[in-house]
Amino acid sequence: MTESIKHARRPTNLSLDSALLEEARALGVNMSRSAEAGIAEAVRRSKQQRWLQANQAALDSSNEYVALNGLPLYRHRQF
């Protein structure tokens, strides 16, 4: 986790591919931390997808404005 806030951890049962599980054990992979990282990434992507869906109308409106009128304050750009 990249957050500075630590949350309580709780034991959980997961069903995993047995070959993958054996390979991870042989390599010394911390499965709890790896599973947590994968779930955190899935949550991040899901939140991103929901945000994009919820804000799609505003994004479309903004893109349409720029397509019709150009970038606001473009004349003040120095690059």
Side-chain angles (χ1 to χ4, degrees):
M1 284 174 98
T2 58
E3 295 177 358
S4 61
I5 299 172
K6 297 287 183 181
H7 296 282
R9 300 176 68 77
R10 149 169 64 160
T12 303
N13 291 325
L14 296 172
S15 297
L16 302 172
D17 178 279
S18 60
L20 182 61
L21 185 61
E22 289 303 318
E23 188 173 9
R25 281 189 178 136
L27 294 168
V29 172
N30 182 326
M31 287 176 270
S32 291
R33 296 290 183 185
S34 297
E36 186 175 2
I39 293 168
E41 177 61 18
V43 167
R44 185 193 68 74
R45 286 183 184 178
S46 182
K47 284 180 176 182
Q48 179 183 35
Q49 212 37 43
R50 286 178 182 217
W51 186 92
L52 286 171
Q53 289 172 349
N55 292 283
Q56 191 61 54
L59 294 168
D60 290 342
S61 173
S62 212
N63 289 337
E64 183 179 350
Y65 176 88
V66 170
L68 295 173
N69 304 298
L71 291 171
L73 305 175
Y74 176 77
R75 63 181 179 206
H76 299 292
R77 290 178 72 170
Q78 297 180 7
F79 54 92

